[in-house]
Amino acid sequence: MRFLPRKLNLNVRLILIFIACLAAATIAFFLTVFYFTPFEDYRKQEKLNDQVKERLDDWKESMEAGDVSLADRDGIEEALGTVKGQHEKEWGFLVTNAEGNVAYRAGNLYSDDLSKLLEEKLSNGATHETDVMQAPFITMVSFPEGLGYVVIEAPLLVKVVNPTTYNQQLIQLILAFALAVVVFLILFVLFMRPVTRYIEQIESGIGRIVDHDWTYEIPVKGRDELSSLAANINWMTDQLRLRFERERELEQSKSELITNLSHDLRTPLTSIIGYLQLAKDQKSPGDKGYVDTTYRLSLKLKGLMDELFEYTKLTHHQVELQTDRVDFAALLHQLVGEYTPILEGKGLRVEMDVPEEPVLVTVDIEKMIRVFDNLLSNVEKYSLEGTINLRMRVEGDRVLTSLSNPSDPVDPEELHRLFDQFYRLDEARSTKIAGSGLGLAIAKRIVELHDGEIWAESGEGKLTVWVALPVRG
């Protein structure tokens, strides 16, 4: 199974998306609240309040230092200095005695009732309902007549909270919260859109794969669980495609097997039936040649059935090897020694280049003998006159063995099919040469069971079959 290195976990990615959307929604909420709430006015109000208090303190100190009387209007205005002229339209100025009787009044006063001003001072103007209201600043002053009060009223820049403004602010908060929710949802959908679209793409790809479109590959995007899922689905699709192609090849192979088997069985069987028919009709009852021919064809038919049965067993997926540690060089010397008289009888000379020292490999001895027995038998049947070369060498973790015999040139396509079941070269398709066409196919299957390779090469007037086997400890 194929896995991709993960760059960012999908859960972490989703959490980051959620945090980013929540942060944006929170910012939108507070920006909306700030927009409806005059915080700048609050700062201006604080600055104005400080200014009024400062002027109030200066006025008080000036009157007490000048020993200004409650009846001295000019002295009171002189103590105010230029403040009155600068703020007479916005501010209100008031001087009263201890009982609240007004001694001096000027400017924009909301009320000259001292008791009401004190009430407004304590309630911070909560009873006012106008948009611009006055905030009273009151301090006690010592006059020659006794204690009194001086008051400066300045406009309120910030609306006070009353039932009406409270409801308005509540609506504003609700609207700000609703806007924040909308911002969160929009951003969440936008951020999640690539993820959902990729999931939809994977789902669509799975649908195509279910419909047997095994050539389709889901695009692998990113490095997270989804990309890993897409890569694994593509891997499974490749496996399904390979299995499907393998099954199709097996079906085709079975069809060819039946066709070739029918052809190769029909020829000797037809001859056997013909000779038996002659014997039955007693046309030549004493002809020993008919009996010999029938017997020879029966043996050929039995050999074909035996090889077919062996090939069927070897192609079964549960075939098991009985392996042993063996000196492969000695095994080859023994096999070639047994075939040398047969080959020399056909005008073939054998040359061996095999190490004298032991070359130990782990193989199923009986099946490996069958491999080289089939190869040597093939050489004996189809080789041109000349020299047979058998070479063996160790390369890394493999043992390479080559068997060469004189041969006419063979096309690469025929070389590729040489190890297919029932395949024989055109010049070998003769009833005079015994053979089932399964010998090389059986050899290939045995070598593959040993995790080895077998192939053929043609050139310089020779056909060479290579066998590569792993050296196992």
Side-chain angles (χ1 to χ4, degrees):
M1 186 175 295
R2 181 174 61 180
F3 292 97
L4 292 176
R6 293 179 182 174
K7 184 178 180 181
L8 181 62
N9 186 281
L10 183 60
N11 293 331
V12 176
R13 184 179 176 185
L14 294 178
I15 292 174
L16 291 177
I17 289 175
F18 179 82
I19 293 174
C21 293
L22 183 61
T26 304
I27 293 172
F29 174 80
F30 282 107
L31 287 178
T32 306
V33 172
F34 291 161
Y35 177 79
F36 287 112
T37 305
F39 284 95
E40 185 65 25
D41 288 348
Y42 278 115
R43 289 192 290 270
K44 290 181 180 179
Q45 184 69 58
E46 291 177 356
K47 185 176 180 181
L48 178 61
N49 292 346
D50 293 339
Q51 184 181 3
V52 173
K53 289 178 182 179
E54 183 179 353
R55 296 295 180 266
L56 185 63
D57 292 339
D58 292 343
W59 190 19
K60 172 185 175 181
E61 291 176 3
S62 180
M63 285 189 294
E64 289 183 341
D67 198 19
V68 177
S69 170
L70 284 170
D72 186 1
R73 182 180 180 86
D74 294 336
I76 292 174
E77 287 189 354
E78 185 180 353
L80 277 173
T82 60
V83 176
K84 177 183 176 184
Q86 294 175 349
H87 302 284
E88 187 171 5
K89 293 183 179 180
E90 302 91 12
W91 294 5
F93 306 93
L94 186 68
V95 178
T96 68
N97 58 18
E99 288 76 20
N101 298 321
V102 177
Y104 175 82
R105 181 176 182 272
N108 185 18
L109 277 171
Y110 173 74
S111 173
D112 55 6
D113 185 348
L114 183 61
S115 61
K116 186 173 183 180
L117 289 175
L118 290 173
E119 179 183 352
E120 297 295 338
K121 174 68 175 177
L122 295 175
S123 62
N124 197 23
T127 58
H128 291 310
E129 296 182 358
T130 58
D131 290 337
V132 179
M133 297 156 287
Q134 300 292 105
F137 293 87
I138 306 171
T139 186
M140 188 177 292
V141 181
S142 297
F143 293 100
E145 295 86 348
L147 292 176
Y149 296 95
V150 293
V151 179
I152 295 180
E153 277 190 326
L156 280 175
L157 301 178
V158 181
K159 296 179 181 179
V160 295
V161 179
N162 54 40
T164 301
T165 56
Y166 177 80
N167 292 335
Q168 292 176 349
Q169 292 179 358
L170 181 60
I171 294 173
Q172 292 169 1
L173 289 174
I174 293 174
L175 291 176
F177 180 77
L179 179 62
V181 171
V182 172
V183 170
F184 178 88
L185 292 177
I186 292 175
L187 291 178
F188 190 78
V189 171
L190 291 177
F191 283 132
M192 287 297 297
R193 185 57 181 161
V195 178
T196 56
R197 288 182 64 182
Y198 193 33
I199 292 174
E200 291 171 358
Q201 193 172 17
I202 292 175
E203 181 185 11
S204 175
I206 292 174
R208 293 182 62 173
I209 294 169
V210 170
D211 292 334
H212 297 163
D213 185 4
W214 292 330
T215 60
Y216 177 77
E217 282 196 2
I218 300 173
V220 179
K221 301 177 182 178
R223 290 290 187 273
D224 54 22
E225 287 84 352
L226 292 179
S227 59
S228 179
L229 174 63
N232 290 333
I233 291 174
N234 291 337
W235 179 84
M236 289 189 293
T237 304
D238 289 339
Q239 297 303 308
L240 287 173
R241 178 176 53 80
L242 293 174
R243 181 173 296 181
F244 173 75
E245 292 175 354
R246 176 60 179 166
E247 290 177 354
R248 186 167 57 184
E249 290 176 359
L250 288 176
E251 289 296 326
Q252 184 177 358
S253 177
K254 288 178 182 179
S255 177
E256 292 178 356
L257 176 64
I258 294 173
T259 301
N260 292 323
L261 182 61
S262 300
H263 176 273
D264 288 346
L265 289 179
R266 183 174 57 186
T267 301
L269 189 59
T270 301
S271 299
I272 291 172
I273 292 173
Y275 286 119
L276 290 177
Q277 185 67 41
L278 291 174
K280 179 182 177 183
D281 295 340
Q282 296 183 353
K283 292 182 179 180
S284 302
D287 194 340
K288 186 176 180 299
Y290 288 171
V291 177
D292 292 340
T293 302
T294 303
Y295 180 71
R296 178 175 56 81
L297 292 171
S298 298
L299 291 178
K300 179 180 178 180
L301 184 62
K302 180 180 182 301
L304 178 61
M305 298 300 295
D306 289 342
E307 287 202 338
L308 179 63
F309 178 68
E310 183 177 2
Y311 178 76
T312 304
K313 286 196 305 180
L314 289 172
T315 54
H316 195 273
H317 67 279
Q318 292 183 345
V319 63
E320 294 183 1
L321 298 177
Q322 304 296 324
T323 58
D324 290 298
R325 191 85 164 146
V326 63
D327 181 359
F328 197 58
L331 181 63
L332 289 180
H333 277 291
Q334 179 182 347
L335 286 171
V336 174
E338 294 174 359
Y339 260 90
T340 297
I342 300 174
L343 295 173
E344 290 179 347
K346 295 290 185 75
L348 299 170
R349 188 166 56 91
V350 181
E351 290 184 359
M352 293 186 63
D353 182 11
V354 178
E356 295 296 332
E357 63 273 10
V359 179
L360 299 178
V361 294
T362 303
V363 295
D364 187 315
I365 300 176
E366 181 181 349
K367 288 183 172 57
M368 195 53 60
I369 289 175
R370 181 61 188 272
V371 170
F372 285 92
D373 185 65
N374 287 356
L375 294 179
L376 290 170
S377 176
N378 223 50
V379 168
E380 183 263 328
K381 292 175 185 176
Y382 306 122
S383 176
L384 302 178
E385 290 187 4
T387 303
I388 308 297
N389 299 104
L390 179 66
R391 298 183 178 89
M392 189 190 78
R393 65 179 185 270
V394 179
E395 288 188 358
D397 59 350
R398 298 196 309 172
V399 175
L400 288 177
T401 306
S402 65
L403 181 63
S404 302
N405 63 276
S407 170
D408 294 327
V410 181
D411 293 336
E413 181 64 27
E414 288 187 304
L415 284 176
H416 178 70
R417 298 187 58 195
L418 197 60
F419 298 94
D420 291 348
Q421 57 194 18
F422 292 108
Y423 183 79
R424 299 162 77 181
L425 297 177
D426 291 339
E427 59 267 24
R429 281 285 184 186
S430 172
T431 55
K432 295 180 181 180
I433 301 178
S436 64
L438 287 173
L440 293 182
I442 291 173
K444 178 182 178 182
R445 179 57 181 161
I446 293 175
V447 172
E448 288 176 346
L449 288 173
H450 286 81
D451 296 327
E453 294 180 82
I454 185 170
W455 69 94
E457 297 176 354
S458 178
E460 299 180 357
K462 286 185 176 292
L463 177 66
T464 304
V465 177
W466 290 86
V467 177
L469 295 172
V471 178
R472 294 191 176 95

